[in-house]
C-alpha cells in the first residue's frame, strides 16, 4: 500500500509542479496591457460604467490573482461627472481561465468608494443607464451575460440628492456585500452603514433580480435594524410607471419620538410618543402608503383599523382606528393651564410648530377613554389638521354619568393660537364635571352644561385674558357646599347681631339651579344666577375675573317662609376660597338694640357702627373720609 501511495503521489506532485511552473510562467508571460483592457471592457459591458484610472495599476498572479486600479472614476450614460469614485478597485480573477490567458472577473472589491446618486425631477437618475445595462446583461441568452458574482464595498460614502425636493442625505462608513450570482436570478445585499449618527444593519434581497431591474414583479425582502428603529418588509415590488410594493410591513421602536427625530420628521407636542409597534398589510404606490389590517401600539395603547400616508410635497396622514381602551394622559401631561402655584395661569408660550408640518384626518373610537383624571365610556373622536388649523370633534362620549358632545379648534396665527370651543354636557354629575373642567368643587347634583368660548393668545394666561363667549349651567336635586343658607337665615332672623359665626359650614340643597354667564375680555358677568331650594332661595349678580381667578359678586338669600326674610350678601376673593359675608347694615337695622346707632349723627356713633359691623363680619371696613378717625389717619401719614 505504501508503495502504491508513493507511485500515486509521484504523478500528483509532478502535476502540481507543472501547475506551479505554469503559474510562474503566466506571471512572466502575461500581457498586462491586454489584462487591463479585458477587465475594463468586462466592467463596462456588465455595468455600463466607463473606467477613468488616474493612479497606479497593480497586477498579481501569485499568491492571489487580481488587478487593482488606484484612484478610479466611473461614469456612464454620457454624464460628465463620475457617478462613482474609488480609491482602490480590485478585480479578483478566476485562476483556471487565467492559465489559458483568458481574463474573467470572479468578484470586485471597492475600497473607500464615494458614490453619488442624483434624482432628477422626471424620476430618472444618473444611475439609470447602469441599471438598464445590468438588466440587459443578466437576461438569459444575452451576448455579454454577467460574469462576476459579488461586489464588496468597504468604508464607502454615498451622497444622495433629489433635484425636485432639494433633499440631501449622506451615508457613511458603508460596508456591504452584494451577492450577484451568475447562476441564479436572485440578488442579495447585506452590511452596515452610518446614517445621522446611528449605526444601521441592513439587508435586501430580490427573488428575481432581472425582473426587478426591468420593472416587472419580483419578490422583495428588506430588513433595517438600528437603535431608534427596526423595520421589516416581506412582499413584492414592481416599477412599471411608478414604484409599487405590496406585502407585510413591521415597524418597532422603543421611542417613536426618538425615531421621528432621527428620520428628520416633526415631533408632535412634548409628551408621550414612546414605545411604538406596527404591523400591517402595506400597499405602496409612489409616495403614498395604504395600510390595511393595521395593528398599532403606542404608549401602551393598542388599536386596529386602516391608515394611509402620503408625502407629495406635504405630509398627509389619514386613519380610522378602533380600540378597547385608550389613555391620552401622556399627551396632555406636559400641558398645564395653571402655573406651579395653582392660583396663577401658566405664562409659558405655546409651541405651535407642529401645526404647520403635517395634515391629519383621523377617526378614533374607544370603549373606554382616559384623559388625566377623567374616565370616559364609549367615545368617538375626530381630528382634522390642515394648513395649521386643528379641529377636534367629539361625536358622543359617555362621561360624568352623562353624554358629552362638542368641538374644539386651534388656528395658528404666527405665534398666537386662536382657540374656539363648543361643548354640551347632558345629564352629567355636576360635582365631577365642574371639579375637573373648572376647578369648582362646591357644586353637586345632576344637570346640563353648555359652553361656547373663543380666545386668542400665545400662552394660557393670554387666552384667559381675551376670553369671550357664554356658559350656562342648569341643575336639579343637588347642593352648594360651604354654606347652609337656611340655617344661617333663620338664625339671623331671630338674632340679627348673633355674631359673624362661621358662614362656610354645611351645604345648601336646591331643587333647581340656573347659571348663565357671559364672558368678555376674560371677565365673566352673571346674567342670571338662581338657586331654588326647598326652604331657601338665592339670586346673585356681579362678575368673576378669569385671569385673576377672583369673585366680585353680590346676592340675596331669602327664606321660603311667611316672613320671607331676606339677606343681601357679598362674595369676594379667590375661586378656591372665597370670602362670604352678609350685608351688615341690614342686620343692624333689624336689631332693636343696634338700629338707633344708624341714626346717630356724631362721630363717636359712626365709630361705634363700624365697630359693630366689624364684629359681625370679621372684616375691617375703612372709615368714612370725613370722620375724625380718617382725619387722624391722614395726619399721622403726613407726620411720618
Amino acid at each position: 500500500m505504501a508503495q502504491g501511495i508513493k507511485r500515486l503521489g509521484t504523478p500528483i506532485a509532478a502535476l502540481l509542479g507543472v501547475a506551479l511552473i505554469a503559474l510562474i510562467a503566466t506571471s512572466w508571460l502575461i500581457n498586462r496591457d491586454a489584462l487591463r483592457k479585458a477587465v475594463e471592457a468586462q466592467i463596462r459591458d456588465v455595468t455600463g460604467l466607463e473606467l477613468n484610472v488616474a493612479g497606479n495599476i497593480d497586477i498579481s498572479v501569485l499568491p492571489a490573482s487580481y488587478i487593482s486600479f488606484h484612484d478610479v472614476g466611473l461614469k456612464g450614460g454620457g454624464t460628465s461627472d463620475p457617478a462613482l469614485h474609488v480609491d482602490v478597485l480590485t478585480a479578483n480573477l478566476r485562476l483556471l481561465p487565467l492559465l489559458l490567458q483568458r481574463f474573467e472577473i470572479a468578484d470586485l472589491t471597492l475600497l473607500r468608494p464615494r458614490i453619488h446618486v442624483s434624482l432628477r425631477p422626471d424620476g430618472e437618475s444618473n444611475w439609470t443607464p447602469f441599471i438598464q445595462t445590468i438588466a440587459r446583461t443578466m437576461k438569459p441568452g444575452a451576448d455579454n451575460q454577467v460574469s462576476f458574482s459579488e461586489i464588496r464595498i468597504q468604508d464607502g460614502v454615498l451622497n444622495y440628492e433629489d433635484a425636485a425636493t432639494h433633499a440631501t442625505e449622506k451615508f457613511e462608513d458603508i460596508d456591504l456585500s452584494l451577492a450577484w450570482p451568475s447562476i441564479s436570478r436572485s440578488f442579495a445585499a447585506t452590511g452596515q452603514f452610518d446614517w445621522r449618527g446611528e449605526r444601521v444593519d441592513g439587508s435586501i434581497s430580490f427573488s428575481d433580480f432581472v425582473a426587478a431591474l426591468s420593472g416587472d414583479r419580483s419578490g422583495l425582502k428588506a430588513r433595517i435594524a438600528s437603535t431608534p428603529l427596526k423595520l421589516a418588509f416581506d412582499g413584492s415590488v414592481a416599477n412599471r410607471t411608478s414604484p409599487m410594493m405590496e406585502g407585510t410591513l413591521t415597524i418597532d421602536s422603543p421611542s417613536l419620538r426618538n425615531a421621528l427625530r432621527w428620520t428628520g420628521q416633526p415631533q408632535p407636542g412634548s409628551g408621550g410618543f414612546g414605545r411604538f409597534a406596527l404591523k400591517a398589510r402595506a400597499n405602496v404606490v409612489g409616495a403614498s402608503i395604504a395600510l390595511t389590517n393595521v395593528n398599532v401600539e403606542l404608549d401602551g395603547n393598542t388599536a386596529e383599523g386602516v391608515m394611509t400616508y402620503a408625502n407629495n410635497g406635504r405630509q398627509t396622514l389619514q386613519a380610522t382606528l378602533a380600540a378597547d381602551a385608550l389613555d391620552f394622559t401622556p399627551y396632555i401631561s406636559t400641558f398645564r393651564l395653571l402655573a406651579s402655584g395653582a392660583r396663577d395661569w401658566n405664562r409659558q408660550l405655546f409651541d405651535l410648530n407642529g401645526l404647520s408640518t403635517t395634515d391629519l384626518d383621523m377617526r378614533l373610537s374607544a370603549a373606554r377613554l382616559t384623559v388625566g383624571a377623567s374616565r370616559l365610556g364609549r367615545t368617538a373622536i375626530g381630528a382634522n389638521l390642515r394648513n395649521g388649523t386643528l379641529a377636534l370633534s367629539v361625536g358622543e362620549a359617555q362621561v360624568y354619568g352623562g353624554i358629552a358632545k362638542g368641538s374644539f379648534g386651534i388656528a395658528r396665527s404666527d405665534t398666537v393660537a386662536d382657540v374656539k370651543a363648543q361643548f354640551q354636557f347632558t345629564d352629567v354629575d355636576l360635582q365631577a364635571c365642574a371639579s375637573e373642567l373648572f376647578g369648582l368643587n362646591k357644586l353637586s347634583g345632576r344637570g346640563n352644561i353648555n359652553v361656547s368660548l373663543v380666545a386668542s393668545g400665545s400662552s394660557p394666561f393670554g387666552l384667559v385674558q381675551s376670553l369671550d363667549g357664554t356658559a350656562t349651567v342648569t341643575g336639579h336635586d343637588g347642593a352648594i357646599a360651604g354654606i347652609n343658607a337656611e340655617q344661617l337665615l333663620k338664625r339671623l332672623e331671630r338674632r340679627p347681631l348673633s355674631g359673624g359665626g362661621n358662614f362656610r359650614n354645611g351645604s345648601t340643597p336646591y331643587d333647581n339651579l340656573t347659571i348663565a354667564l357671559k364672558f368678555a375680555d376674560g371677565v365673566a358677568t352673571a346674567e342670571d344666577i338662581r338657586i331654588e331650594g326647598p326652604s331657601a332661595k338665592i339670586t346673585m349678580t356681579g362678575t368673576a375675573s378669569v385671569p385673576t381667578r377672583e369673585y366680585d359678586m353680590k346676592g340675596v338669600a331669602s327664606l321660603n317662609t311667611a316672613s320671607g326674610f331676606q339677606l343681601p350678601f357679598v362674595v369676594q376673593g379667590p375661586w378656591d376660597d372665597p370670602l362670604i359675608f352678609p350685608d351688615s347694615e341690614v342686620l343692624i337695622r333689624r336689631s332693636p338694640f343696634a338700629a338707633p346707632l344708624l341714626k346717630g349723627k356724631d362721630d363717636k356713633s359712626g365709630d361705634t357702627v363700624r365697630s359693630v359691623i366689624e364684629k359681625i363680619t370679621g372684616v375691617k371696613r375703612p372709615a368714612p373720609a370725613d370722620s375724625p378717625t380718617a382725619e387722624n389717619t391722614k395726619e399721622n401719614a403726613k407726620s411720618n
Side-chain angles (χ1 to χ4, degrees), residues 217-237:
R217 190 180 185 89
S218 170
L220 170 64
K221 292 183 179 181
R223 302 286 187 274
I224 293 177
S226 64
T227 301
L229 181 70
K230 293 181 180 179
L231 183 147
F233 179 83
D234 191 346
S236 60
V237 62

Side-chain angles (χ1 to χ4, degrees), residues 67-88:
I67 178 172
S68 294
F69 301 90
H70 294 260
D71 194 7
V72 181
L74 296 96
K75 60 182 180 179
T79 58
S80 57
D81 297 328
L84 173 64
H85 189 278
V86 186
D87 283 356
V88 181

